[in-house]
Amino acid sequence: MAETETEGRPLEIVSRAQARDRDAFEQLVEDHATEVYRLAASIVGAADAGDVTQDTFVAAWQQLPRLRDATRFRAWLRQICVNRARNWLRSAARRGVPVGLDTQDFLADRTDFRRVVEARTVIEPAFERLNADQRAILALHYSMGYSIAEAADALRVPVGTAKSRLNAALNVLRDAVAEPERSKAEASS
Amino acid sequence: MNDAQITEYLRSRSRVAPPPSLAGSIMAAVDTAPTLRSWFASLVPAVAAVAVAVAVLMLAFVIGRGPQVGPGPTDSDQPAPSASIVPSASPSDAGPPLSLLRPGDVAEIPATDATGEWGTIRIERMEDIGGYSDAPIAEDVGLSGEFFVIEFFVSYTAERMPDPAQFGSLDWSLRPIDPNAEHFFVTEAKSFERVGGLGIRPDDALPVFPGAIDIFTTPTEGTIAFQVSRREANLDLELVYARTTPQVAIPARIAGPAPEPVPVATPTPGTAAPGYVTVEGLPFPVLDSVDADALFTQPDQCTNPEDGYTVTFPDDWYTNTETGGVPACSWFTPDFFEVSAPGVAPDDIWIFIGVVEGQVGYTSNTPFYLSEAVTVDGRAGRRTEYNPNPNAKPDYRGYDYVIPLGQDGPTLVTSTNSDVASDYALAKAVLDRIMATFTFGD
């Protein structure tokens, strides 16, 4: 019943949480933490998913009184998660590669990327080279299985924009994945 | 590799289970998070006094999200706080909101610990500065021009010993007022230290007081400095005192242009770090080494055709040809080596040169033993010696040159370290000479 529930929870729970009821918010955390965690992992990777999930719920707690339509709680939470995940990636990019930790390994990574043909090993580095928006749309649609409309809502862009972003991101990923295969083919010819 | 494999990979990214403790840790974070409330209403009298243009700007904030690009300074003498939702700027509901928006503004708040107030903290807003000409910001190598610095002078007055006793720079952070800001970040105060004879300002930096001092007679004051990315100059910022729950957050900067970067002085022979000497014909000081000088009497030369650079290196040393995607002229070592797996560096390699995507920085807690600006073939960069993990490997040293090749990358990184080089001192001296003769291709 969309009018009275949000994803199985009575709207009253959201309303109570909006009124700063900690127990109600804890119920919302228990209901939605796994989905938020998986969405975060899809965008930033499992290693950082816990931090992004925590950031998401802290922001949700802080801003919940500003949520005007309680039926949109789940979609709104998804928006916060995507926003936090993108910020996380941008922040990580700004911090750069901690060469003080891994200069040698990092330089070696590039070579591994080019020589390894096993699927995951090739796709993962390619995925990690995508920008935050590209990662987000691929994660929302392919990893989480959201419809284009739901993905567009999470990204706060029109459906048409989401479609074009999805297509562009997929093409970038295809090209990135194809590069080492081309190199390998050239090397063997 | 086909689309099915790609989509299968993407699906696999969400097949993860959260740790059992996730909900608990979330609620613990929620319990310590500040509660946001609007302080717009309390500012109405001040708002009424400002120019119409500012009022229009504020209306934009009230209606929707603030602009991505800051409004810049207004013509009014009155600071124009945007109507973002911010934490209470006052430790109690009594009295006007605290403000550190303008240089010279002073705020006083209670110093607190787990049992309550233990003293008073006086905070004075200093001028924003574009950097330190004699002491480049060390934490973000090669990017000092992309940052500016926000400083506050902080004085603690104690009425009793705090518990725990430690306090000081660790109490402070700076963050955007809007938690949904696109470039949201939290910056910790820098407790700069003098390292390896290189000055890192401010000289009067607020330390972390260990608590084992006579707090009633020892001056407990100093400057806290926050390094802020220029792209975040378009955000309203607040200073956060993290020792109280909820945290005290004081508006500290209105979105607007950052001060102009302060050029970092290129080292001259007179300012060479200890152990470095000026060698005729080389553009910057290099580590003093008779052995390295001898190796470069009749050096060899190689070119990386992919990245376009050319270097000279000791004639007795070895470098690689193209292997497994690694361009020629990327690895250097005094011993003959064989590549057992294409693209994988053997253990014998002492020096690595590579061009990596994006910017390159260091973790903020990296201890630096050397950090100085160098100009390599006309491009500004940094030379550093550091230990990224002093607790685990106290004797480890890494030695890098990091040369940004563009605003957002790529970045040239050349490196050696005490793990790979059996004669680390010689490796450093050779790397200095390689970089001093380095030429970028066009």
Side-chain angles (χ1 to χ4, degrees):
Chain A
M1 293 183 44
E3 296 301 316
T4 57
E5 293 185 352
T6 172
E7 301 302 323
R9 279 284 177 196
L11 282 181
E12 181 241 340
I13 299 292
V14 179
S15 299
R16 279 173 42 208
Q18 286 186 291
R20 321 312 294 166
D21 182 330
R22 184 189 180 282
D23 291 342
F25 188 75
E26 190 164 14
Q27 286 187 42
L28 294 174
V29 170
E30 288 171 359
D31 285 352
H32 297 280
T34 298
E35 181 185 6
V36 170
Y37 180 85
R38 287 179 174 157
L39 175 57
S42 301
I43 301 173
V44 302
D48 294 323
D51 288 334
V52 172
T53 304
Q54 183 170 303
D55 282 357
T56 299
F57 279 102
V58 169
W61 171 246
Q62 291 173 322
Q63 297 171 62
L64 201 49
R66 298 162 65 188
L67 175 63
R68 280 176 287 191
D69 181 359
T71 63
R72 279 188 45 77
F73 175 75
R74 183 183 172 216
W76 176 75
L77 198 60
R78 199 181 297 153
Q79 287 179 343
I80 296 175
C81 178
V82 169
N83 190 39
R84 290 295 156 139
R86 288 191 297 182
N87 285 345
W88 186 274
L89 290 172
R90 287 168 180 147
S91 176
R94 206 165 50 246
R95 287 194 298 272
V97 178
V99 297
L101 296 172
D102 287 317
T103 301
Q104 189 182 344
D105 291 343
F106 186 83
L107 295 174
D109 279 349
R110 187 171 79 155
T111 65
D112 288 342
F113 167 77
R114 296 186 179 194
R115 73 184 174 81
V116 178
V117 296
E118 194 268 324
R120 185 180 181 91
T121 311
V122 172
I123 299 173
E124 187 149 293
F127 183 85
E128 288 173 357
R129 287 166 54 186
L130 299 178
N131 67 37
D133 287 337
Q134 291 167 335
R135 280 198 196 200
I137 186 67
L138 289 172
L140 285 161
H141 185 61
Y142 286 111
S143 303
M144 298 298 293
Y146 298 136
S147 69
I148 294 289
E150 288 172 320
D153 178 68
L155 294 168
R156 298 184 232 201
V157 298
V159 169
T161 303
K163 283 181 183 174
S164 59
R165 275 193 195 175
L166 183 64
N167 189 49
L170 205 52
N171 283 334
V172 170
L173 192 57
R174 287 184 184 122
D175 286 348
V177 167
E179 183 191 341
E181 293 189 331
R182 277 197 299 270
S183 299
K184 186 192 173 201
E186 289 168 6
S188 62
S189 64
Chain B
M1 200 67 52
N2 55 39
D3 278 6
Q5 288 171 294
I6 291 175
T7 52
E8 172 53 28
Y9 164 74
L10 293 172
R11 285 192 202 102
S12 74
R13 288 181 65 85
S14 67
R15 290 191 203 117
V16 291
S21 60
L22 181 63
S25 63
I26 289 170
M27 291 312 296
V30 164
D31 288 340
T32 58
T35 302
L36 306 190
R37 68 176 178 84
S38 173
W39 61 307
F40 178 68
S42 66
L43 292 168
V44 168
V47 172
V50 304
V52 172
V54 178
V56 170
L57 173 70
M58 293 191 67
L59 184 61
F61 274 100
V62 173
I63 291 172
R65 194 167 182 276
Q68 289 300 303
V69 178
T74 69
D75 293 335
S76 168
D77 289 334
Q78 184 76 29
S82 62
S84 308
I85 304 299
V86 302
S88 170
S90 175
S92 72
D93 287 336
L98 301 174
S99 172
L100 292 167
L101 293 171
R102 294 178 301 190
D105 279 356
V106 172
E108 288 197 1
I109 61 174
T112 56
D113 60 16
T115 58
E117 296 183 17
W118 60 269
T120 304
I121 309 172
R122 180 184 186 276
I123 312 148
E124 181 177 353
R125 180 69 154 86
M126 313 297 282
E127 297 272 1
D128 291 353
I129 54 176
Y132 308 114
S133 62
D134 60 337
I137 297 167
E139 279 77 2
D140 291 274
V141 174
L143 302 177
S144 57
E146 297 304 310
F147 289 81
F148 68 104
V149 179
I150 300 175
E151 290 186 343
F152 303 87
F153 192 80
V154 176
S155 308
Y156 291 77
T157 303
E159 294 167 6
R160 62 169 172 81
M161 283 295 291
D163 180 22
Q166 205 174 47
F167 68 98
S169 60
L170 51 75
D171 295 345
W172 304 93
S173 62
L174 191 75
R175 69 186 181 195
I177 288 174
D178 179 1
N180 273 331
E182 184 177 4
H183 300 296
F184 186 86
F185 66 102
V186 177
T187 301
E188 304 302 324
K190 304 296 183 191
S191 53
F192 293 135
E193 297 174 352
R194 287 190 169 277
V195 181
L198 298 172
I200 304 293
R201 292 178 64 187
D203 292 336
D204 60 350
L206 184 74
V208 175
F209 295 104
I213 58 173
D214 183 347
I215 194 171
F216 303 109
T217 57
T218 304
T220 47
E221 62 182 24
T223 300
I224 53 173
F226 297 92
Q227 175 186 321
V228 179
S229 167
R230 288 179 172 277
R231 77 173 72 182
E232 285 145 358
N234 68 346
L235 300 174
D236 297 340
L237 304 176
E238 60 190 4
L239 178 69
V240 179
Y241 176 61
R243 282 301 185 92
T244 187
T245 303
Q247 296 170 340
V248 174
I250 307 171
R253 189 174 193 276
I254 296 172
E260 288 299 310
V262 173
V264 176
T266 301
T268 61
T271 60
Y276 286 78
V277 295
T278 300
V279 174
E280 187 176 354
L282 299 184
F284 50 77
V286 294
L287 271 172
D288 190 9
S289 169
V290 174
D291 292 341
D293 286 337
L295 288 168
F296 278 81
T297 306
Q298 290 184 307
D300 203 346
Q301 189 175 74
C302 67
T303 295
N304 175 329
E306 182 173 316
D307 299 317
Y309 60 77
T310 298
V311 302
T312 58
F313 66 100
D315 186 46
D316 291 345
W317 281 36
Y318 298 86
T319 187
N320 65 299
T321 56
E322 194 281 334
T323 169
V326 176
C329 199
S330 296
W331 302 335
F332 300 88
T333 183
D335 301 314
F336 180 77
F337 65 92
E338 291 184 340
V339 177
S340 55
V344 177
D347 294 339
D348 315 77
I349 304 302
W350 281 22
I351 291 172
F352 298 83
I353 300 180
V355 175
V356 300
E357 296 298 321
Q359 300 173 335
V360 173
Y362 291 82
T363 52
S364 59
N365 58 351
T366 300
F368 285 89
Y369 307 96
L370 173 80
S371 179
E372 62 179 356
V374 291
T375 300
V376 174
D377 193 27
R379 293 178 185 269
R382 300 198 63 72
R383 170 167 60 184
T384 59
E385 185 170 26
Y386 55 88
N387 182 350
N389 194 351
N391 293 327
K393 299 180 75 173
D395 297 329
Y396 176 92
R397 296 290 183 273
Y399 191 68
D400 289 350
Y401 284 72
V402 176
I403 317 292
L405 303 180
Q407 185 170 351
D408 296 316
T411 306
L412 175 76
V413 180
T414 68
S415 179
T416 187
N417 64 64
S418 57
D419 276 0
V420 297
S422 55
D423 187 340
Y424 174 59
L426 179 62
K428 290 195 297 180
V430 169
L431 180 54
D432 279 349
R433 285 154 180 81
I434 287 176
M435 295 311 294
T437 57
F438 191 101
T439 56
F440 291 97
D442 297 324

